[in-house]
Amino acid sequence: MNVDDSNKVKPNISGSSYLWDYMIKQNDKAKCKICSAILSRKNGTTSGLRKHLFQMHKLEAFGVNSKKLDIKPQQFSVDEKQKLDSLIINAIVEDGRSFGDMRQSGILKVFNHLKPGYLPPHRNTIQRRLKRLQSEEKLMLIKELSKIQSLGITCDFWSDKRLYSYLCLTGHYITSNYQFVSKILSFSWLHHRHSSTNISMVIKKELKDLNVSEKTRSITTDGAASMSKIGETLYGDTKQIYCVAHRLHLVVCNGLGLWVRKQKLLYASTTDAITKIDISEDDSDEEDFTDDIQFISQPSSITNSSSSLESFGNSFDISNELLNTNLDNNVIGNENLMDEEPDNFSDDIIDNWSIDVIEDLDISSGETVQQNIGDLMKKCRSMVKLINKSSILMNYVSKLKQQFNIRRSLQLDCKSRWNSSHQLIVVMLIYKKIVNKIHSEKHDIGLNNKQMNKLSSIELDQFDWKMLELLDFVLKPFAQATKLLSSTQYPTIGISYFAIVQIRDFLEDLNTVDVDDWKILFNFKVLLLNQLEKYFMEKDEQWQLMKNHAYFDPIGYGCLTRRERRTVESNIIESHESCTMEEMIDEQEANETQSKLNRKRKSTSSKTSPMTKFLNSVGKKRVCSSMDIPTASKNTLNEEFTTYRTLAQREYNSIVDGDQDPDVVQFWQSHQIELQQLSKIATSYLSTPAISVTSESAFSTASYLLRKQWSHLTPINLSHSIFLKDKLHTDFNTPY
């Protein structure tokens, strides 16, 4: 690179496009060799340096790609450009793209062909527009929420791989035309300590900003200690519901001991006595079982036991399935899943679901069944790890999969989703022929001694396979219940109660298999039944809350006893009278204030008429008693209860008999005329979600956005992107 006396640059023959031929590095700055200007290069970026060389010294090699692409002059209006920019921003939010994706050279060629002269907005412009768009959408959300009567919310936490924490609030309500709606109310970066006080302050602030504090009837959370008292701090009579999916997770994991580790007994001698010490057995997660010559890294299903949700690639239809496809593909998602390849899990999700899972079993409790199940699950996990770490075994398994026409891949489970453990059991049963063939031919496959020894130690015998079959059998109702609760477009509180009652009946039924397997299955069912009662029936307040809400869903109503229905109805009448009385008092106070103003105006112009004086003397001229309307309202409500009992029981029978699918919103829409008061009360109860699926969906999306290609996304931009995800639509009639 040469510079003549006129300060013009002569191209370097060896390549004038090399940046540092023209710049000198100076820590976080750079000095131009041509004009001695000092330029910033914060965080190591060089875009400013290239821009300087292109604009100030006319070095075309450092210009944008527009010249290389031979972009033609602009051939469209400003309004059309604004609409295209809006579509670009929407595409970035909807597809989870990086802000600079649309200015990649390949994409620019497409735009230049379709819209000559159009240049997509710069990433800095997108960032500014994203913030403005978030504010606009929040105002629209406030306007929409102003029209609803009651709101149920869910709340959950997520920490990303950078250890930034986020709080997600989702809202659930039924519109005036009986449409069930679920939306993200807030996705915010929480940089405070996760105490219940701080969490409550954030939630109350968000609800206040949306003007829905007094409309919030319930909050659904997991059972973490920091979340256990959130409901008490919110407005008025806001009830707290513990997530049914989380409690079912603990029922299965702790009931069967899926993550129980075997204890080794060591003896430490001291001068006084010999002390017995329990040490958890190493599960060999980090042991090297790779091949001697070559190691081919195979995608492991899960690399961290605290992972829970699955990255979902280009799809964002994750809110439609609870712990199923995309939200959790470690769960059975549909009937054809047995013939499909599951996607890999992500290790970017950190949640509370693994906190209360029991790993260390008290030996004195004598629960040998749980210990046996824990040992069996450990064998299955070790088998998957061994195959995934060996290219020889992986290639051998791939050939056998073709031979036996198996399309499923082996995958590990994770501690934060019991469904993944059931999935592991199902896949192991599918691979039974392959696993047995590996053991029988292990000396002929080409494994080293360490691998063969490991195979011998984890070989499954006939009893182990029988255990897996019975575990699959006893867990199928739980898996199907998870599918039943999966929809975010259906109020889940009633159907959750129905599912739990049916599972309880299944566990109490001991006449399901032949005599040989009866004792094993009996032990499994007893363990699960004990945990089900612990986490649901023994929680009196929570169980009663579920009954109160389930009453308004025919599928839940059909599971209540006559006494339980009467109790719920009494609670509803009492609550309704209290609300009606408060409304009447407010209205009466407003009327009295207005009357005083009217009397004050009339007192100067007219006197009390003789008729008014007479009516006052006999007590006829007075305001209606505050109890008149509630009494009439109570009589009407009792009549509607009678009608509802008949309609709900008929609907329940039709659903159970298979004549129709449950649709509680459609039920109330169809009967809103004959159940005028109850239908209004029902919308308040049915807006309460039993699970936190929408929050989990948001976290799965956030995990995908923070993939390797976009790992520098700021917490604020991530929060804006998640909030806008379910707000933006594909129809852009007006530019933003």
Side-chain angles (χ1 to χ4, degrees), residues 266-422:
L266 298 181
Y267 293 89
S269 60
T270 62
T271 55
D272 300 324
I274 297 179
T275 306
K276 185 168 62 176
I277 305 174
D278 292 341
I279 299 180
S280 296
E281 182 184 3
D282 181 15
D283 62 359
S284 306
D285 286 356
E286 304 302 325
E287 285 191 64
D288 182 14
F289 291 107
T290 58
D291 306 322
D292 293 333
I293 300 176
Q294 183 182 12
F295 169 60
I296 299 178
S297 178
Q298 301 294 339
S300 176
S301 300
I302 291 183
T303 58
N304 189 331
S305 62
S306 65
S307 350
S308 61
L309 304 178
E310 176 180 5
S311 62
F312 59 95
N314 295 327
S315 170
F316 187 69
D317 192 22
I318 56 180
S319 61
N320 293 330
E321 299 288 337
L322 166 67
L323 312 178
N324 284 358
T325 55
N326 296 328
L327 173 59
D328 282 305
N329 275 352
N330 49 335
V331 186
I332 294 180
N334 55 57
E335 298 300 330
N336 299 323
L337 187 57
M338 300 298 290
D339 298 323
E340 297 175 355
E341 288 284 359
D343 297 330
N344 290 330
F345 293 97
S346 167
D347 59 356
D348 296 336
I349 299 292
I350 303 174
D351 63 15
N352 296 319
W353 285 40
S354 61
I355 293 178
D356 296 324
V357 174
I358 296 175
E359 292 186 69
D360 300 324
L361 188 66
D362 184 7
I363 300 178
S364 62
S365 65
E367 292 291 356
T368 57
V369 177
Q370 289 180 317
Q371 186 66 68
N372 291 337
I373 295 174
D375 294 342
L376 175 59
M377 295 302 297
K378 182 176 177 296
K379 284 184 180 181
C380 295
R381 295 179 192 119
S382 298
M383 174 61 71
V384 175
K385 294 173 188 175
L386 183 60
I387 293 175
N388 284 339
K389 290 182 178 180
S390 169
S391 60
I392 295 175
L393 272 177
M394 181 59 72
N395 292 332
Y396 180 76
V397 168
S398 297
K399 293 178 181 178
L400 291 179
K401 283 175 63 178
Q402 295 180 358
Q403 178 181 339
F404 296 122
N405 193 26
I406 296 175
R407 299 179 59 186
R408 290 289 297 278
S409 295
L410 283 170
Q411 61 184 62
L412 289 172
D413 56 347
C414 64
K415 197 184 304 178
S416 58
R417 291 296 180 271
W418 78 266
N419 315 63
S420 62
S421 298
H422 179 240

Side-chain angles (χ1 to χ4, degrees), residues 39-207:
L39 306 170
S40 173
R41 61 183 195 95
K42 190 176 181 180
N43 297 327
T45 59
T46 60
S47 56
L49 311 184
R50 296 177 182 276
K51 184 177 180 180
H52 173 81
L53 293 173
F54 173 69
Q55 293 182 348
M56 301 301 297
H57 303 297
K58 310 304 180 186
L59 291 177
E60 302 293 341
F62 297 101
V64 295
N65 294 331
S66 57
K67 184 173 181 181
K68 299 178 183 178
L69 296 172
D70 191 24
I71 292 180
K72 302 176 183 178
Q74 181 172 327
Q75 298 178 1
F76 44 87
S77 65
V78 176
D79 289 342
E80 189 175 3
K81 183 181 186 307
Q82 289 179 345
K83 186 171 183 178
L84 286 171
D85 288 350
S86 296
L87 286 169
I88 291 296
I89 295 173
N90 181 70
I92 287 173
V93 173
E94 186 175 345
D95 298 338
R97 296 186 175 277
S98 301
F99 292 168
D101 268 5
M102 296 305 177
R103 282 205 173 191
Q104 298 292 335
S105 58
I107 297 294
L108 285 175
K109 291 176 183 177
V110 176
F111 281 126
N112 188 44
H113 175 74
L114 298 176
K115 284 287 184 182
Y118 175 70
L119 185 64
H122 190 269
R123 63 176 181 269
N124 293 337
T125 302
I126 293 174
Q127 182 173 337
R128 290 193 300 269
R129 294 279 292 276
L130 201 68
K131 184 177 180 180
R132 187 175 71 186
L133 188 58
Q134 193 267 352
S135 299
E136 293 173 356
E137 290 294 334
K138 186 169 183 178
L139 290 176
M140 293 176 63
L141 179 62
I142 293 173
K143 184 177 179 180
E144 182 178 346
L145 293 176
S146 66
K147 301 176 183 178
I148 67 173
Q149 298 299 319
S150 60
L151 179 73
I153 64 174
T154 68
C155 175
D156 209 345
F157 271 105
W158 172 64
S159 298
D160 63 22
K161 55 190 174 185
R162 304 170 299 182
L163 298 183
Y164 289 131
S165 296
Y166 302 87
L167 176 68
C168 181
L169 282 180
T170 64
H172 311 262
Y173 56 91
I174 297 177
T175 62
S176 57
N177 59 344
Y178 288 89
Q179 296 293 322
F180 185 75
V181 179
S182 295
K183 285 193 174 183
I184 294 177
L185 302 180
S186 168
F187 193 96
S188 54
W189 174 30
L190 190 74
H191 41 80
H192 304 291
R193 183 183 176 187
H194 296 180
S195 65
S196 58
T197 303
N198 290 336
I199 297 171
S200 298
M201 289 177 60
V202 173
I203 295 175
K204 286 191 286 188
K205 180 182 180 302
E206 295 292 347
L207 295 178

Side-chain angles (χ1 to χ4, degrees), residues 537-596:
M537 291 72 178
E538 292 180 6
K539 307 290 183 181
D540 293 337
E541 183 179 355
Q542 287 288 306
W543 192 234
Q544 186 58 47
L545 276 175
M546 288 196 69
K547 292 177 182 178
N548 291 341
H549 289 76
Y551 177 89
F552 290 96
D553 190 335
I555 196 66
Y557 174 89
C559 296
L560 297 172
T561 64
R562 184 184 297 273
R563 176 176 295 181
E564 289 172 338
R565 294 171 186 173
R566 296 296 183 267
T567 301
V568 172
E569 289 170 0
S570 299
N571 294 337
I572 293 170
I573 292 175
E574 182 179 351
S575 176
H576 179 66
E577 286 182 351
S578 176
C579 293
T580 304
M581 184 69 71
E582 291 178 2
E583 293 174 0
M584 290 185 59
I585 291 173
D586 293 339
E587 184 178 355
Q588 184 173 341
E589 289 177 351
N591 291 336
E592 288 177 354
T593 302
Q594 186 63 41
S595 298
K596 289 179 181 178

Side-chain angles (χ1 to χ4, degrees), residues 234-268:
L234 298 183
Y235 179 84
D237 297 327
T238 303
K239 304 297 183 182
Q240 184 169 5
I241 303 289
Y242 293 125
C243 177
V244 172
H246 182 210
R247 290 185 174 270
L248 282 177
H249 166 70
L250 295 177
V251 167
V252 175
C253 289
N254 295 342
L256 296 178
L258 298 180
W259 292 92
V260 167
R261 294 170 178 258
K262 188 175 182 180
Q263 302 289 317
K264 284 185 176 181
L265 298 181
L266 298 181
Y267 293 89

